[in-house]
Amino acid sequence: MKIGFIGLGNMGRHMARHVLEGGHDLTVFDLSREAGRPLEEAGATWANSPAEAARGAEIVFTSLPVPANVLEVATGEGGVLSAISPGAVLVDLSTIDPDTAVTLDAATRAAGAHALDSPVSGGTVGADRGDLCLMVGGDHEIFERVAPVLNLIGAAEKLVYCGGIGTGSICKLANNLLGLSTSVMISEAFGMAMKAGVDARTLYNVISASSGDSAALRGWGTSILNGNFEPGFMVDLAAKDVGLATQLGRSLGLPMEAANLAQQRFIEAQRRGWGKDAMQAVGRIQEERSGIEFRFPESESESSD
Ligand code: NAD
């Protein structure tokens, strides 16, 4: 198939690579010209605009930072919808709010094409491995049509059809609210226990075998405990996700006290200028308060995933 891919950042570059390796004819675009080079070397074609990436494609993927970027790339001048083929499918892989997904769907239908919201989970490690969870909203028939290509990006057993347009985004915001607020609690738990005299390895061994275990501990937690601050998921994007979740709660008139408290920790990390750092930086706030770095003893190291 001829496929367009726009947004070749920490996630997009891996996902686009898997589409290319699946044998498809791939055209790519990003604001950063450099981001396209490795894919071009692997056989992709560079486009000079989102419209050029979309022209003639049966599927167009976007993986962009925030909802405004997604709308701009789709509906702006030189955008995807100015060139999309009738019947083609625009699949947004970004984390956005459901209202933006609905707006995108309406604009895409008006252009004679179809839209799916398909946010992803599994981080850059999952994107690299091609075993992400994809949670998809939109028409079921369109979902089934593109599922074989979605399975190049994610694991088939983790491909979840969620319902109508926007439902993928609702699921993603619920998931990230849970994972990201758990990371705040992990930093408080480690600060408390380590200041009281238990080392990080002992505490990790206990929690990972007990009721406090979580994917957040094994992912984000092991990264900070290993001193791994490699950029993967930026504080700014984490703050956006928690913010979109609390905004959705407000729009429903639903009190979510704990979520709004967790959000303050991400806002504080941004205020300190850590927005472009890996989201592990959020843990630094509680490290400072406890006067302890949350690290495994130096003699050890464990890969994070
Ligand atoms: P990123 O900032 O690393 O990459 C985004 C890319 O989009 C950049 O290369 C940037 O140049 C490009 N871009 C921005 N505006 C553009 C525009 N107008 N036209 C073309 N290209 C543009 O972000 P990321 O970490 O790859 O995340 C992408 C999306 O996936 C976000 O919505 C994020 O919340 C979500 N996500 C990220 C992770 C993760 O672990 N990083 C995991 C799951 C979901």
Side-chain angles (χ1 to χ4, degrees):
M1 285 168 104
K2 186 162 164 36
I3 295 178
F5 205 113
I6 300 158
L8 310 170
N10 288 326
M11 296 297 284
R13 65 196 158 98
H14 296 297
M15 298 192 281
R17 191 186 80 238
H18 291 303
V19 172
L20 186 65
E21 286 170 357
H24 296 285
D25 175 2
L26 188 71
T27 304
V28 296
F29 175 72
D30 191 289
L31 282 184
S32 154
R33 182 70 187 83
E34 282 313 302
R37 304 256 185 236
L39 285 154
E40 272 182 289
E41 279 162 24
T45 305
W46 175 257
N48 287 308
S49 67
E52 218 176 276
R55 195 160 289 122
E58 288 165 74
I59 303 175
V60 182
F61 287 104
T62 49
S63 175
L64 299 161
V66 302
N69 301 132
V70 176
L71 284 181
E72 169 69 20
V73 161
T75 63
E77 206 184 319
V80 168
L81 298 183
S82 67
I84 200 162
S85 302
V89 187
L90 171 58
V91 183
D92 180 48
L93 303 161
S94 326
T95 304
I96 61 172
D97 56 293
D99 283 353
T100 298
V102 168
T103 303
L104 189 66
D105 180 55
T108 308
R109 281 173 195 268
H114 309 278
L116 297 173
D117 62 315
S118 176
V120 306
S121 184
T124 51
V125 173
D128 190 13
R129 285 191 199 136
D131 67 359
L132 293 167
C133 168
L134 272 65
M135 46 210 100
V136 189
D139 289 349
H140 191 257
E141 184 200 328
I142 303 301
F143 162 74
E144 285 196 320
R145 196 199 298 170
V146 301
V149 181
L150 299 182
N151 283 336
L152 296 171
I153 293 172
E157 68 277 13
K158 295 190 202 165
L159 177 63
V160 183
Y161 176 71
C162 301
I165 192 77
T167 54
S169 302
I170 295 168
C171 292
K172 173 65 177 170
L173 295 184
N175 177 75
N176 277 28
L177 173 61
L178 201 50
L180 292 166
S181 48
T182 302
S183 70
V184 171
M185 290 310 299
I186 291 169
S187 70
E188 293 193 5
F190 272 76
M192 175 196 74
M194 291 181 73
K195 196 165 181 68
V198 172
D199 71 83
R201 167 52 66 190
T202 303
L203 187 62
Y204 181 86
N205 287 348
V206 169
I207 296 176
S208 61
S210 300
S211 55
D213 192 21
S214 63
L217 178 67
R218 288 166 187 276
W220 176 87
T222 48
S223 290
I224 192 166
L225 292 165
N226 282 316
N228 172 8
F229 291 92
E230 288 281 302
F233 185 40
M234 279 181 261
V235 167
D236 277 345
L237 293 179
K240 175 228 8 175
D241 292 357
V242 179
L244 290 178
T246 57
Q247 184 185 307
L248 181 56
R250 282 197 184 91
S251 75
L252 297 166
L254 198 60
M256 292 167 60
E257 294 91 340
N260 280 275
L261 272 180
Q263 187 181 2
Q264 302 311 306
R265 200 68 64 87
F266 290 91
I267 293 171
E268 174 62 15
Q270 288 179 301
R271 192 192 67 78
R272 293 183 184 212
W274 301 340
K276 304 290 173 233
D277 292 352
M279 68 76 69
Q280 288 88 299
V282 169
R284 274 196 232 144
I285 295 170
Q286 204 64 7
E287 287 186 331
E288 271 180 32
R289 291 168 173 172
S290 57
I292 290 170
E293 284 196 333
F294 309 150
R295 299 288 177 278
F296 287 136
E298 264 181 20
S299 53
E300 304 181 28
S301 83
E302 184 175 304
S303 68
S304 102
D305 83 15

